[in-house]
Amino acid sequence: MAALHLAFALALFTGHAAGVNNGLARTPQMGWNNWNALGCDVSESLLLDTSKKLVDSGLRDVGYNYVVLDDCWSRGRDEEGFLEEDLEKFPSGMSAVAEELHRQGLLFGMYSSAGEMTCARYAGSLDWEENDAKSFAGWGVDYLKYDNCYHMGRFGTPKLSFDRYKVMWDALNSTGRPILYSLCNWGEDYSHTWGMSIANSWRMSGDIYDSFSRPDDLCSCIDASSPFCIAPGTHCSVLNIINKVAPYVDRGQPGGWNDLDMLEVGNGGMTDEEYKAHFSLWAALKSPLLMGNDLRSLSAASLTILNNPAVIAISQDPVGHSVYRVRRELNVAKDKYGVGEIQVWSGGLSGGDQVVLLLNAAGEDARISASLEEIFLHDGPEGSAPQINEEWEVFDLWGNRMDNALAQKILDADEKDVEKLWKQANWYNSTEISYKEGLKKRDERLMGKKVGKINAGGSLTAKVKRHSVEMFRLRSVGHGGKRKVHAKEEL
Ligand code: GAL
């Protein structure tokens, strides 16, 4: 009995009554993965050129610290059953890559599949979990993306998938090395209902592709909880994915997150406004933020989307709550694919602030309004939330986007000049001050640009271009007075 009490007290004390507790991904993980832009074209030089770019462009210092190598890196197993890296692609070996990344202040991620083969038909880890976890830990790996191809029919119920993925979780744990565990089972077998018990993130959709709204037969599932969603597929648009995650946004929590898939920002298929909307939603929905573009040819426009600290601060807010959808309108102008909708998303932040996204996924520009009653729906339905009676300052989270000319200067600068440019720009550096600390101090660079006020009982209105988003931080004037802040902050 005493032991039971102690366990309960400990759970209360640490605040981790459930879910994984390996200390990792307390906020959604950030980094880069080669798959979206480069597929199987992987090599040691790709990883090292990318890591150098991460450092020199300042992307590491706004938070992108994992360099994740996807499929196609191995040449099979040795006689003792251990995976070997392809030495033509990785001539110095994986340990050397890990060492170099660590020296640059970065972390190293690798990939395998809970199947007999990976999706690109390289050796998989199913029934080899202990060996492979030992190899990853021995090489100095900090992150494992674990895919779902060739699973030998061991799927079809949540328990079957859970058990298959748990074997690797246990194997990773028994190495003693903290390794972020990222499930890539495309939402199959309702991974949003069990992922949080064994993993730091779980994919909830088939693969993303570089389109904002185009429907595609290869991504036939529009509702991940449907029993007919047997083939989550590929070619899923940004809009398809956010509509799928809408009913599960509350599954994410510090330590375990809904994974909406890697970012497409910079890959060329969407407009600047569409990429901003994609990035804003991934941040506010608490998806891991893994850049999926080729950083060796990073453009100034992509850099200024990816390095916006006011938007990243929403992703990295210590409260760890996703935004919720509070409105979806389908009766609006359609785009060229016959798709069109308007959505309003809202969520609580640390310090009693609120983030609001007005998404125009329709075929025409629109004026979108959201009342405080709607914005604070989750703090009390039918107008019962105390926040409705407060006055709010409004900050545009894209208002201080980095100037294109400065971004280009940074990208063109010699190694020795980069630091100087960064100092001059006074851009946010999360290696020096974490987002948690910066938010506590209300660092201006995380707040966005003040654009107006909402009176008590009022509403937020903005003109939103077609296929774009307006994203705001709301701050109560007088900080909410005596209002109890519902969101529980991480200690
Ligand atoms: C898919 C996965 C992609 C990528 C690819 C590699 O199953 O969802 O993100 O990892 O396999 O073959």
Side-chain angles (χ1 to χ4, degrees):
M1 193 64 184
L4 202 88
H5 272 137
L6 184 66
F8 184 60
L10 271 176
L12 277 181
F13 175 68
T14 57
H16 306 308
V20 302
N21 195 7
N22 60 0
L24 302 172
R26 305 310 302 170
T27 54
Q29 66 265 28
M30 296 177 65
W32 171 86
N33 173 306
N34 64 272
W35 182 257
N36 283 355
L38 295 149
C40 276
D41 189 9
V42 294
S43 65
E44 181 173 323
S45 62
L46 167 67
L47 298 186
L48 299 183
D49 291 348
T50 299
S51 64
K52 184 170 180 334
K53 196 62 177 263
L54 276 167
V55 177
D56 292 349
S57 63
L59 285 167
R60 178 196 64 187
D61 290 337
V62 288
Y64 299 93
N65 57 354
Y66 285 102
V67 174
V68 183
L69 166 64
D70 211 281
D71 206 345
C72 315
W73 56 264
S74 95
R75 65 168 181 199
R77 293 187 184 278
D78 66 14
E79 281 166 6
E80 278 148 40
F82 286 92
L83 285 173
E84 288 182 305
E85 63 272 65
D86 180 335
L87 287 172
E88 276 178 25
K89 295 177 183 170
F90 300 90
S92 317
M94 289 307 174
S95 303
V97 171
E99 223 169 89
E100 179 54 19
L101 293 176
H102 292 158
R103 196 190 60 76
Q104 295 177 330
L106 294 161
L107 296 162
F108 184 31
M110 284 188 72
Y111 162 102
S112 190
S113 180
E116 60 176 334
M117 289 190 287
T118 69
C119 297
R121 298 174 171 242
Y122 289 74
S125 294
L126 188 62
D127 300 332
W128 295 96
E129 291 86 351
E130 260 178 49
N131 279 16
D132 294 355
K134 273 188 199 144
S135 299
F136 295 133
W139 287 331
V141 168
D142 308 291
Y143 182 123
L144 178 67
K145 169 176 173 178
Y146 203 41
D147 214 332
N148 195 30
C149 283
Y150 302 102
H151 50 44
M152 317 268 287
R154 291 186 225 172
F155 90 118
T157 69
K159 179 80 172 107
L160 272 171
S161 287
F162 175 85
D163 287 347
R164 179 161 48 93
Y165 278 94
K166 184 170 183 295
V167 182
M168 183 54 97
W169 164 243
D170 291 335
L172 291 173
N173 277 339
S174 63
T175 66
R177 183 176 176 84
I179 298 181
L180 191 153
Y181 188 36
S182 156
L183 305 189
C184 178
N185 84 329
W186 324 309
E188 228 170 53
D189 287 340
Y190 311 103
S191 51
H192 64 280
T193 65
W194 49 264
M196 61 290 285
S197 303
I198 53 166
N200 297 108
S201 60
W202 51 91
R203 282 271 298 278
M204 42 57 59
S205 155
D207 289 13
I208 192 170
Y209 85 145
D210 195 9
S211 168
F212 188 72
S213 65
R214 184 182 170 277
D216 191 290
D217 285 345
L218 283 176
C219 181
S220 57
C221 293
I222 48 170
D223 173 2
S225 69
S226 156
F228 304 109
C229 183
I230 289 163
T234 57
H235 291 194
C236 298
S237 70
V238 164
L239 192 61
N240 172 287
I241 294 175
I242 65 170
N243 284 337
K244 258 186 221 153
V245 80
Y248 316 131
V249 292
D250 58 346
R251 305 291 90 187
Q253 56 187 312
W257 307 101
N258 282 311
D259 180 354
L260 278 58
D261 205 356
M262 281 99 58
L263 295 162
E264 291 285 3
V265 176
N267 283 333
M270 294 187 229
T271 65
D272 189 69
E273 287 298 336
E274 289 172 337
Y275 279 141
K276 270 168 66 188
H278 166 34
F279 186 64
S280 302
L281 282 152
W282 261 232
L285 287 158
K286 306 282 173 182
S287 171
L289 294 178
L290 291 183
M291 300 179 287
N293 52 330
D294 186 348
L295 292 185
R296 297 168 304 182
S297 51
L298 177 66
S299 71
S302 304
L303 177 60
T304 63
I305 293 177
L306 295 164
N307 77 1
N308 181 342
V311 173
I312 299 173
I314 302 299
S315 151
Q316 302 296 304
D317 189 283
V319 165
H321 284 177
S322 166
V323 284
Y324 300 88
R325 188 160 67 195
V326 295
R327 192 199 319 161
R328 183 180 188 195
E329 281 174 53
L330 294 168
N331 195 11
V332 296
K334 303 297 172 213
D335 66 14
K336 63 178 175 185
Y337 301 118
V339 175
E341 42 188 292
I342 282 177
Q343 306 187 359
V344 178
W345 295 80
S346 177
L349 302 169
S350 54
D353 286 9
Q354 190 82 2
V355 59
V356 182
L357 292 97
L358 307 176
L359 173 68
N360 181 359
E364 281 173 6
D365 297 357
R367 245 183 125 64
I368 306 180
S369 249
S371 65
L372 288 179
E373 181 173 336
E374 250 183 318
I375 290 171
F376 291 103
L377 202 60
H378 282 270
D379 293 84
E382 309 297 345
S384 63
Q387 290 96 326
I388 299 171
N389 305 314
E390 294 166 19
E391 189 186 347
W392 296 85
E393 288 178 330
V394 181
F395 298 83
D396 176 359
L397 294 183
W398 284 101
N400 291 333
R401 179 176 175 179
M402 182 185 268
D403 171 70
N404 228 45
L406 171 60
Q408 194 58 57
K409 243 188 189 171
I410 289 173
L411 291 173
D412 293 341
D414 287 346
E415 213 171 318
K416 57 182 187 344
D417 296 331
V418 171
E419 215 174 310
K420 217 168 58 204
L421 279 170
W422 273 102
K423 287 237 161 71
Q424 277 168 14
N426 185 31
W427 211 246
Y428 197 74
N429 183 331
S430 67
T431 310
E432 282 169 5
I433 320 168
S434 68
Y435 283 98
K436 186 172 163 179
E437 249 181 284
L439 284 167
K440 217 180 204 163
K441 294 189 187 138
R442 300 200 62 76
D443 189 307
E444 269 189 17
R445 295 166 295 182
L446 303 183
M447 296 297 117
K449 186 175 181 181
K450 193 168 163 206
V451 288
K453 262 193 187 171
I454 310 175
N455 293 327
S459 45
L460 175 67
T461 305
K463 186 156 187 238
V464 191
K465 290 189 208 134
R466 67 171 285 281
H467 284 203
S468 78
V469 84
E470 293 291 328
M471 186 181 194
F472 302 102
R473 173 185 281 268
L474 270 48
R475 170 86 168 150
S476 179
V477 176
H479 316 300
K482 295 202 184 68
R483 167 164 50 80
K484 185 169 151 270
V485 174
H486 291 267
K488 191 164 119 256
E489 296 187 26
E490 278 265 289
L491 296 174

